[in-house]
Amino acid sequence: MDDSSDGGATAGSTKKKSAAAAAKGKATGKGKAASKAAPKSKESSLLKQKSPAEFFAENKNIAGFDNPGKSLYTTMRELVENALDSAESISELPDIEITIEEITKSKFNTMIGLVDRERVDEALYDDFESSKAREKRLAKEARFQETQAKNAALGKKVKDTPAARGKGRGEASFFRVTCKDNGRGMPHEDIPNMFGRVLSGTKYGLRQTRGKFGLGAKMALIWSKMSTGLPIDIKSSMKGQDYITFCRLDIDIHKNVPHIHLHEKRENNGHWHGAEIQVIIEGNWTTHRSRILHYMRQMAVITPYAQFLFRFLSDAAEKNLTIKFARRTDVMPPVPLLTKHHPSAVDLLLIKRLITDTTKPNLLQFLQHEFVNISKAHADRLIGEMGPDFNAKTTVNSLTSQQLVRIHQLFRQAKFDDPSGNCLSPAGEYNLRLGIIKELHPDLVATHASSPQVFEGHPFIVEAGVSIGGKDVKQGLNIFRFANRIPLLFEQGADVITRTALKRINWSIYKINQQQDKIGVFVSIVSTKIPFKGTGKEYIGDDITEIADAVKSALKQCCVQLKSKIVKKLQAREQQDRKRNLNKYIPDVARTIMETLGELADESPPKRPRFDKEDEELLEKINSEEVTEMTFRDCLTQHVEQVDYEMALEYAMQSGVSEEPREAIYLNSLEGSYKFVDFQSPAFVFRFIP
């Protein structure tokens, strides 16, 4: 009976569950749909992996490929910076040619063998304009023309007719970007992996580098594959090689491996060395033309030892452009050195990786050789502070996770000497000053370089320049930002350099008018780690006190130099005004003196007071007309000129400016290689050739 009652209860509960399920399915109308959706949830829960190439292809905005215009700019920038690195790595004065060739959609289709088709269904396209929309647009244009005609009749300002704005995305434009350099070149067998495998390269390690992500031309290749589907062409030859490597390849996005179309060796009859990279991408020259040209100009400022030839080619002749940024000096910054990590700048993961890669067997040698500023004596003290579980002969591979945490905590709390800036490669005051003068032609310029400073265990150097006047410079502050010797053009408002120049410098106390003067502000920061903010790495945050203080101090030093020059210039201007005013009154003063002395000379001797012998002689000369009004004019003019010369000489001695006539001296350049020693100062470089 109990069994039957249990069975009845079970059956009843089953019926209730079935009824509830049926009611739920009927209420939602998803009975069958819900049962079919179950397998999909299993599929969606399967783990999937993405290759690095696939990740950056889906998140291309991280690397600066937000849109076609920005992609064209970023592609050009990456190729130029790679070319500079390549030439500087072998101490070769960079000679770089950049060509951007516009390819119309029709020309691009012909290139890939695609036949153009005429539109059949116009309403299908994004730029289609219906008859109603056309009537509305024409009516609006008619009203605008009528308003402008009334304004013209009343003498008011007439506006230009606004350009018609299409609804659609517009015609796609394609560009062939070519960059040729005279740098190191690349080994024949390494080229496929250097271009076709993301996150592989030769610049990884702790050193000052121009690159932001380590992608270089790889991202340009990914964008090319996404926008045109065409491969990249690479020519390369290393110094002394009798062949040129030619490689045509693209990238397998999902596998992150190169797909080689052609890889061969060709004759190198001209003994050329360097690299030439050519890629065809979708872009927009119109929206980013100014950015690209500003980038080239700022790159010429920070690298005056490089020569750039920039060309833009188009079927429309009026759009063609050729600009040469000439080399101004052959003094190059030193090559940045690979350095070791500072103990205060490492984390647990980095400590583990250093232990994996080290060749040192015990803890004492590991601390000495894998970190900077840890001597043998300091390492012994650190090991003693770690506790009884540690000793100098402890093998690093046997350290437990708890012991690694103890080492990391001690690194964070212990006191270490700051790292030196010997591994850094700033542009140099001389080069910065020369670059500013070369590109802006200012009236005044001042530069300053800070001593090496430290934030979070990373050394950094701030170089600053401030100029007054110049060509193509707007009134007010014109801010030029550089990080590891590359220009930063985007997201300027939140940058530490911009905020310091706008809010933390009182320009008026340095005799500089922030609103009316044409002020150029140049700040270059170099470091083994630039603290970029944002995904695009286009600005340096304002929240790092050490960097903000260093930028402010460097700019103030420049302003102090400029104030001295401006004050002297104002004094010279006041002197000129004083001379001009004196010369203006000389005729009146000479006439008054002559009239007064003439009256004295006309008086009879008894009535005339007695004078000295010299005065009597002067009166006699006036009576005989040997001394006239012109004589007094000449004497006064000569006296003003003499005083002006003495004041000008004193000004020249104070400012170091010679007023003597200058003679041009021409020096023949030395041919061939020779040994020399450079003695550098902010204003000049003295080269001693033994």
Side-chain angles (χ1 to χ4, degrees):
M1 188 170 180
D2 292 340
D3 291 343
S4 62
S5 62
D6 289 344
T10 304
S13 63
T14 304
K15 287 179 182 179
K16 288 179 182 178
K17 288 179 182 178
S18 301
K24 186 178 179 182
K26 188 174 181 180
T28 58
K30 295 182 180 178
K32 294 183 179 179
S35 62
K36 290 182 179 179
K40 288 187 178 180
S41 62
K42 284 186 177 181
E43 290 179 7
S44 62
S45 65
L46 292 176
L47 288 175
K48 294 182 180 180
Q49 289 185 338
K50 287 184 180 179
S51 71
E54 193 174 5
F55 172 80
F56 281 106
E58 293 178 0
N59 301 276
K60 58 186 183 296
N61 60 301
I62 294 177
F65 287 75
D66 306 54
N67 52 63
K70 183 83 177 290
S71 298
L72 178 63
Y73 162 80
T74 306
T75 297
M76 183 275 303
R77 190 201 72 196
E78 292 285 3
L79 296 181
V80 168
E81 291 166 12
N82 282 353
L84 282 170
D85 286 339
S86 178
E88 291 173 2
S89 68
I90 56 172
S91 300
E92 188 87 19
L93 291 171
D95 197 343
I96 300 171
E97 298 178 16
I98 309 102
T99 304
I100 299 178
E101 180 185 355
E102 186 176 33
I103 302 172
T104 62
K105 181 181 177 183
S106 177
K107 191 174 180 180
F108 174 77
N109 288 346
T110 303
M111 183 189 304
I112 63 174
L114 184 64
V115 179
D116 283 337
R117 284 179 54 86
E118 293 186 2
R119 294 184 178 184
V120 178
D121 186 355
E122 287 286 349
L124 183 65
Y125 292 89
D126 216 9
D127 56 358
F128 172 72
E129 186 180 39
S130 65
S131 57
K132 186 176 180 180
R134 185 172 181 274
E135 288 176 7
K136 187 176 179 181
R137 176 176 59 82
L138 292 175
K140 184 178 179 181
E141 291 177 0
R143 288 195 300 271
F144 178 82
Q145 294 294 342
E146 184 180 351
T147 304
Q148 295 308 304
K150 290 180 181 178
N151 289 341
L154 296 173
K156 295 182 180 180
K157 187 177 179 181
V158 178
K159 298 180 181 179
D160 294 332
T161 304
R165 294 186 178 180
K167 174 187 171 185
R169 294 179 295 273
E171 186 79 1
S173 293
F174 302 95
F175 298 88
R176 179 185 285 111
V177 183
T178 307
C179 183
K180 184 178 181 180
D181 64 63
N182 61 334
R184 178 188 294 275
M186 295 165 280
H188 175 82
E189 60 278 1
D190 291 345
I191 290 178
N193 282 329
M194 292 178 75
F195 284 87
R197 194 184 297 272
V198 173
L199 300 184
S200 66
T202 59
K203 297 180 184 178
Y204 295 115
L206 189 62
R207 73 172 81 199
Q208 173 190 325
T209 60
R210 284 191 172 95
K212 295 179 181 178
F213 295 97
L215 295 177
K218 302 179 187 73
M219 195 62 214
L221 176 55
I222 291 175
W223 174 244
S224 172
K225 189 172 180 67
M226 294 174 68
S227 60
T228 68
L230 295 176
I232 189 172
D233 288 351
I234 305 119
K235 293 180 183 177
S236 175
S237 182
M238 302 184 73
K239 261 191 173 182
Q241 282 185 347
D242 58 355
Y243 64 88
I244 295 175
T245 296
F246 177 81
C247 186
R248 176 173 293 152
L249 59 86
D250 62 20
I251 184 171
D252 187 324
I253 299 290
H254 303 292
K255 296 181 180 179
N256 191 33
V257 294
H259 177 218
I260 301 171
H261 297 248
L262 182 62
H263 192 194
E264 63 182 12
K265 296 180 180 179
R266 299 176 178 177
E267 291 185 4
N268 187 11
N269 296 325
H271 304 289
W272 168 73
H273 64 87
E276 180 178 346
I277 300 170
Q278 186 178 104
V279 61
I280 298 176
I281 60 172
E282 183 182 355
N284 191 325
W285 168 255
T286 305
T287 58
H288 279 68
R289 176 184 185 275
S290 61
R291 296 279 191 180
I292 291 173
L293 296 182
H294 283 162
Y295 173 87
M296 293 304 306
R297 188 188 189 196
Q298 292 189 31
M299 188 58 85
V301 168
I302 202 68
T303 55
Y305 52 88
Q307 179 166 288
F308 299 98
L309 180 62
F310 178 84
R311 286 188 292 253
F312 179 80
L313 306 177
S314 173
D315 291 340
E318 66 275 8
K319 294 174 67 175
N320 288 345
L321 180 68
T322 300
I323 304 177
K324 184 176 182 179
F325 300 90
R327 179 181 293 115
R328 184 66 185 269
T329 178
D330 61 354
V331 177
M332 294 177 61
V335 177
L337 301 176
L338 188 67
T339 186
K340 297 174 184 177
H341 294 274
H342 192 268
S344 63
V346 297
D347 54 34
L348 273 173
L349 285 177
L350 184 53
I351 293 174
K352 290 178 181 179
R353 182 168 66 81
L354 291 175
I355 288 174
T356 303
D357 297 341
T358 188
T359 58
K360 305 303 176 183
N362 60 54
L363 183 57
L364 179 66
Q365 293 178 339
F366 172 74
L367 294 176
Q368 278 184 261
H369 293 91
E370 296 298 336
F371 301 95
V372 295
N373 296 351
I374 297 184
S375 62
K376 184 177 184 300
H378 198 182
D380 282 329
R381 291 177 62 192
L382 289 171
I383 293 171
E385 188 66 22
M386 291 177 189
D389 295 336
F390 298 85
N391 62 68
K393 295 184 179 180
T394 301
T395 57
V396 290
N397 291 326
S398 65
L399 293 172
T400 64
S401 298
Q402 291 79 5
Q403 288 176 313
L404 293 179
V405 171
R406 175 61 184 143
I407 293 173
H408 179 239
Q409 290 176 348
L410 183 59
F411 280 175
R412 296 290 296 272
Q413 298 169 1
K415 182 173 67 175
F416 299 93
D417 291 337
D418 289 337
S420 69
N422 296 337
C423 60
L424 301 179
S425 176
E429 265 193 87
Y430 173 74
N431 278 340
L432 181 59
R433 178 188 295 265
L434 205 59
I436 295 171
I437 294 172
K438 177 173 77 83
E439 293 301 320
L440 271 69
H441 303 284
D443 301 324
L444 297 173
V445 62
T447 55
H448 176 77
S450 72
S451 58
Q453 300 183 55
V454 179
F455 80 96
E456 296 180 358
H458 293 277
F460 71 94
I461 294 175
V462 174
E463 296 173 306
V466 178
S467 65
I468 306 293
K471 69 173 187 178
D472 300 330
V473 182
K474 298 181 295 185
Q475 284 186 326
L477 293 178
N478 299 263
I479 299 174
F480 301 83
R481 303 171 297 134
F482 304 92
N484 281 350
R485 294 195 274 126
I486 62 171
L488 302 177
L489 268 62
F490 296 89
E491 301 183 56
Q492 178 170 298
D495 191 272
V496 61
I497 297 168
T498 304
R499 292 195 173 185
T500 300
L502 290 175
K503 299 180 180 180
R504 302 190 183 109
I505 302 294
N506 186 353
W507 298 94
S508 60
I509 66 173
Y510 303 104
K511 308 295 183 184
I512 299 173
N513 190 319
Q514 185 176 345
Q515 306 301 326
Q516 296 181 2
D517 289 337
K518 297 179 178 180
I519 310 167
V521 178
F522 304 81
V523 178
S524 172
I525 301 174
V526 296
S527 176
T528 52
K529 179 185 178 183
I530 297 291
F532 288 114
K533 297 290 184 180
T535 55
K537 294 192 174 184
E538 288 290 349
Y539 72 97
I540 299 171
D542 192 32
D543 55 345
I544 299 176
T545 306
E546 295 90 341
I547 293 181
D549 290 345
V551 170
K552 180 181 178 181
S553 175
L555 288 177
K556 289 178 71 173
Q557 289 293 330
C558 294
C559 290
V560 168
Q561 297 176 41
L562 283 179
K563 182 180 179 180
S564 174
K565 297 178 182 180
I566 291 170
V567 168
K568 290 175 182 176
K569 202 171 183 180
L570 290 174
Q571 291 174 347
R573 188 181 301 164
E574 290 173 0
Q575 179 183 330
Q576 290 296 321
D577 293 341
R578 187 165 52 248
K579 177 184 175 182
R580 186 165 50 251
N581 291 333
L582 288 173
N583 284 331
K584 183 172 68 174
Y585 293 113
I586 282 176
D588 295 335
V589 173
R591 188 184 313 110
T592 303
I593 293 173
M594 187 64 192
E595 290 173 355
T596 304
L597 292 177
E599 291 175 359
L600 290 174
D602 291 340
E603 293 179 358
S604 58
K607 294 182 180 179
R608 191 168 64 191
R610 295 183 60 83
F611 293 102
D612 294 338
K613 185 178 180 180
E614 292 180 356
D615 296 336
E616 291 287 350
E617 290 177 356
L618 175 61
L619 292 176
E620 290 176 4
K621 289 181 180 179
I622 290 174
N623 276 330
S624 63
E625 295 185 353
E626 186 178 344
V627 174
T628 64
E629 183 181 332
M630 288 305 299
T631 306
F632 287 111
R633 284 193 184 189
D634 293 341
C635 289
L636 288 171
T637 302
Q638 185 177 357
H639 178 72
V640 169
E641 290 290 342
Q642 179 64 27
V643 172
D644 180 67
Y645 175 77
E646 290 175 356
M647 295 181 69
L649 184 62
E650 182 182 357
Y651 168 74
M653 292 177 66
Q654 291 177 356
S655 60
V657 179
S658 174
E659 298 295 335
E660 297 295 328
R662 298 184 180 184
E663 181 181 353
I665 299 176
Y666 299 95
L667 301 177
N668 292 326
S669 60
L670 295 176
E671 300 294 337
S673 59
Y674 51 90
K675 295 182 179 179
F676 58 85
V677 178
D678 281 346
F679 299 92
Q680 298 195 19
S681 83
F684 69 91
V685 171
F686 177 77
R687 176 161 291 175
F688 174 69
I689 304 173

